[in-house]
Structures are given as structure tokens and as C-alpha cells.
Amino acid sequence: MTIIQFPKDMKWGTATASYQIEGAAFEDGRGLSIWDTFSHTPGKVVNGDNGDVACDSYHRYEEDIQLMKELGISVYRFSVAWPRIFPNGKGEINPKGLEFYHKFVNALLENGIEPMCTLYHWDLPQALQDTGGWANRDTVKAFVEYAETMFKEFNGKIKKWITLNEPLCISYIANYVGAHAPGNKDLQLATDISHHLLVAHGRTVQKFRELGTKGEIGYAPNTTWFEPFSNRLEDVEACYREIDHQVRWFMDPVFIGEYPQNLVDWFKEKGVELPIEKGDMDSIQQPIDFLGINYYAGQIGRYKENTGLFDCEIVEMGYDRTDIGWPVYPDGFYNVLSYVTERYGNVPIYITENGACYNDEPVSGTVKDAKRIKYLQQHLTALSRVIESGVNIKGYFLWSMLDNFEWAEGFSKRFGIVHVDYNTLVRRKKDSYYWYKKVVNNNWFEY
Ligand code: JJW
């Protein structure tokens, strides 16, 4: 028998995002976002799904909060829909939007659950996309204004803030791969956006300090790990290019004030350059209070010419895959966390997302998602090992509280520890919910 024990001040939570759960897409003055446009464009989302209703959490948040309370979590990570606050992205504020989040945050606090608020989890106001979106520096300005509104409005009530969720997805997946809204396929555009996102992040942190906002602010890049197929230098370098892009590109500027030079050169060979203006790197390099890490999967990589952006091919190694096709690779979680700490020092880290897609359905009232439990056991073990090694882990947010709208995969991919029936919107606790409840309450689990 092995006991996996966590530090006594470890915080346990769950995570969601506005467009993925709220629904009420056209209510109370909410403006359109790029995900409304994208999901209503035929062929973009599996089965033509969209977030018009989603989990209807906009109306059912009290039920959701009861599920959280019974689970015993002390923190909940959610995101605010920018177009609910500023239907046109900037200018006039929609009081109903603020009112909704006040009611929601009050309800969390009344139930003893601390809110962690993500300001940007992908639902850019469509009005800002119409003037170029994140490729236009005016969007950076609009974002800082929106953030300022939120800091002032919720000062003292929300004490944990995240500027951006998964900048790699916002830039390269949405604007180079084209799999997410707005669905562009342009490497220069994606690179411009990656830089503007970092500037937006840094200026928002500056604004947070300037206003003397209570609490802490961080940032939540997604990570992955690439393990070289062999120790051949070419394989090692190819894998490090992937890591340099997925991890360092979005963290080196924040912690060190510069981009990884090898990738700057790599992109330059492809005719792509960063749109750095005077003062940008200073704006980006703001001390943050914590780093959020999202981790789901790792890969084995091998050098192959003209493959992907970085001449690295993914090698099929027969690892188990979740139902979204991502390899289960808990060592990658350990490696990413060690790597980040080694590179940037002992920064406080929240695991802002970790979890697994398994599509188990209810059978006579129960959802037996044993594979999700196994995934969580493996990843929490890796987390425990890294904590033992001295990495400064403050908390863990399981993605996700509920099954929800999984972006381009629509409702076909389920990440929740609570099952949602999308016809009736009935919530049903899965076996993993009960398993996680024990972890949260005991602060340990056993094999
Ligand atoms: C990459 C698609 C080909 C979410 C990607 C698609 C095609 C090279 C889960 N994290 O729902 C990454 N998630 O909202 C945030 N993380 O490429 C939260 N990463 O690529 C979860 C999807 C993702 C992705 C999805």
C-alpha cells in the first residue's frame, strides 16, 4: 500500500470557463464573442454544437455551487465573459453583466468557496475581432480597461486573478492551426498575437499593482512535455524546440524579459518576426504572484525534416490515450514542473488545469469513470513527487467540475467529474467526483 500525502496548506479546487458552461448567450445584454461566430459557422465545431445553452450554468449556478460545496473544495476557478461586461469590447459597460458575476461570486463566498477569476478564457468580443482582434494593439488597451473595471468592481471580493488562459491556444491554435476561433491560418499573425497577448498580460499586472488591488495575480499558460525518442542530438533538439515554443515562448518574456533566441532565429528563417515595440519587454516582465500551469498530456518526439513548425514528429508509442486522443503521460507533468522551477526559480505554482477526457455515460444512475480516476491518481502522484522535490505547489484545480463545451470538439468530449445530460441539463456525480471528494477532504489518497 502506498499513501500519497499532500502538504497541509494545499488548496483543492475545480475549474471551468464562461463560454464552456454558461449558456444564456443572448441574455441580459451580453455581446457576441468570437466563439459565438465560430461555433455558428458550419463545419467549425463537431456536430455543429455551440455554447448558446451549454450547461446553462448562468441560470443553474446555485446547483453547481452546491455540488462544489458537497465536494469540499476551497477554491473555484471560473472565467468572466468579457462581452457580458463590455458588449462591444470597450466603451459602455453592461450593468447586468456585472450584476451576474456579483451574484455568482457572493454565492461562492457564502458557501465558503474562494473565487479565482480568469479574465480572458478565449471569448473575445466580436466587435474587437472586427477591428483586427488581438493582432490590433487597440485590443490590448481595451483588455486593460476591462481588467481595470473588474479589479475596481471586485476589489476585496475576488483575491485571486488570472490574466490569460492558454496564450498558446489563443495565438497559434486559433490563428496558425486555425482549429479555434477566429480560425485563421497565418504564422505571422499568430506570432503577432502571441506578443500582443504577453503585452496585455504585463500591462494588466501593472494596472493591478497601480490600483493597489488586494490579492494576487498570475497567468495560466498551457504546457506539454516532449520526451526525445532517442538521445540523438537531432531528436533532443527537435523536442526542445517544441518545449521552447509551448513553454518558454510564453514564460521567458515574463520571467527573464526575452524570447528564446533559437526560436526567434527559427521563425526568422520562415520570414516571421516579432512586432516588438519600445518598452514592450519591460511591460511584459512584471513580477507575478503565482504561475498557473495547465497540463494534460505529453508526447514522444523525433526529428523529421519539414514536419510541423519545428521539424519534430510525434511518435506513436502505444501509450494509453484519453478519449480526446491525448497520450497519458504523467512523467511529463513532473518534468514540466521541475523544468519551470529550475528555469524561473521557486515561483508559487497553482495547477490551474489538469484532468482527462473520458466519455462514460450513466448506467442505472451511476457513471463508472474508472479511467478518469486512474488518470487523476497518476497525475496527483507525479504532483506529490514534485512537491517532495521542493517545487512550490500551492494548489490544484481539476478540469473540470462539469462536462462542458469542449471548443472545436463541442459536447462530444467530456472532462467533468459531474456528468451533464445535454437534453435535460441534469447533473449527475461520477465515480471520480466521489474519489476526488475523498482526496479533497483527506488531503491524501492511497493505492
Ligand atoms: C491544441 C488542435 C493540431 C482546454 C489543440 C486543440 C489541433 C496541431 C483543454 N484547456 O477545455 C490544444 N484544451 O478550456 C482550457 N487544452 O490543437 C479549457 N488544450 O492541433 C479546456 C485543443 C487544445 C487544448 C484543449
Side-chain angles (χ1 to χ4, degrees), residues 35-51:
W35 271 95
D36 295 303
T37 309
F38 192 76
S39 65
H40 283 270
T41 306
K44 298 296 189 188
V45 175
V46 171
N47 297 325
D49 291 341
N50 60 60

Side-chain angles (χ1 to χ4, degrees), residues 88-367:
N88 292 310
K90 57 186 175 182
E92 206 158 325
I93 295 182
N94 172 29
K96 289 228 161 112
L98 290 174
E99 200 184 298
F100 168 72
Y101 291 108
H102 273 297
K103 277 193 303 190
F104 173 68
V105 170
N106 290 346
L108 281 175
L109 293 170
E110 282 158 18
N111 284 284
I113 300 165
E114 188 188 352
M116 177 187 267
C117 174
T118 307
L119 289 164
Y120 188 78
H121 201 127
W122 307 2
D123 38 3
L124 184 73
Q126 181 62 44
L128 296 179
Q129 186 61 43
D130 294 342
T131 54
W134 286 109
N136 182 344
R137 277 187 183 250
D138 290 346
T139 298
V140 174
K141 191 163 164 269
F143 179 71
V144 179
E145 283 167 14
Y146 152 61
E148 177 172 2
T149 303
M150 295 301 293
F151 294 151
K152 286 178 172 163
E153 190 73 30
F154 290 90
N155 189 22
K157 215 174 198 184
I158 297 175
K159 295 194 184 118
K160 288 186 168 59
W161 297 89
I162 288 175
T163 54
L164 309 173
N165 183 68
E166 301 191 345
L168 174 87
C169 287
I170 307 167
S171 49
Y172 290 91
I173 301 301
N175 292 282
Y176 170 65
V177 176
H180 290 168
N184 296 310
K185 293 186 179 171
D186 179 333
L187 188 58
Q188 180 63 60
L189 180 74
T191 303
D192 290 350
I193 289 173
S194 71
H195 181 66
H196 294 162
L197 288 169
L198 281 159
V199 174
H201 158 76
R203 291 207 191 138
T204 303
V205 174
Q206 279 177 321
K207 182 61 75 181
F208 181 86
R209 308 278 182 228
E210 231 174 81
L211 293 169
T213 320
K214 295 195 189 96
E216 43 185 23
I217 189 162
Y219 166 65
N222 42 322
T223 62
T224 187
W225 189 257
F226 275 76
E227 194 64 32
F229 181 78
S230 80
N231 268 339
R232 271 198 323 159
L233 187 60
E234 286 165 319
D235 289 351
V236 173
E237 285 180 346
C239 283
Y240 270 113
R241 278 192 296 275
E242 290 286 354
I243 292 170
D244 292 346
H245 187 233
Q246 302 205 22
V247 178
R248 283 179 61 204
W249 190 262
F250 296 93
M251 295 191 202
D252 276 18
V254 172
F255 291 107
I256 301 171
E258 53 193 39
Y259 284 94
Q261 190 58 44
N262 59 325
L263 287 199
V264 172
D265 298 342
W266 186 267
F267 280 140
K268 200 163 183 181
E269 291 229 337
K270 296 179 186 287
V272 168
E273 288 193 59
L274 280 159
I276 300 175
E277 291 181 8
K278 197 162 162 283
D280 280 359
M281 299 314 288
D282 290 335
S283 299
I284 297 170
Q285 196 187 1
Q286 299 300 315
I288 54 177
D289 300 309
F290 64 88
L291 175 65
I293 294 283
N294 295 359
Y295 178 88
Y296 290 92
Q299 305 277 8
I300 304 295
R302 178 164 59 191
Y303 173 74
K304 190 178 179 196
E305 223 184 326
N306 300 323
T307 301
L309 262 183
F310 301 107
D311 292 1
C312 183
E313 72 166 339
I314 288 168
V315 188
E316 172 55 54
M317 298 291 292
Y319 288 109
D320 287 343
R321 288 171 183 267
T322 61
D323 287 348
I324 200 168
W326 301 346
V328 176
Y329 197 67
D331 285 351
F333 195 23
Y334 181 93
N335 292 342
V336 160
L337 292 166
S338 306
Y339 178 86
V340 163
T341 292
E342 214 167 278
R343 228 182 134 67
Y344 308 118
N346 206 19
V347 51
I349 294 174
Y350 285 98
I351 307 307
T352 34
E353 285 179 29
N354 174 245
C357 172
Y358 290 108
N359 287 334
D360 306 279
E361 291 287 345
V363 178
S364 37
T366 64
V367 186

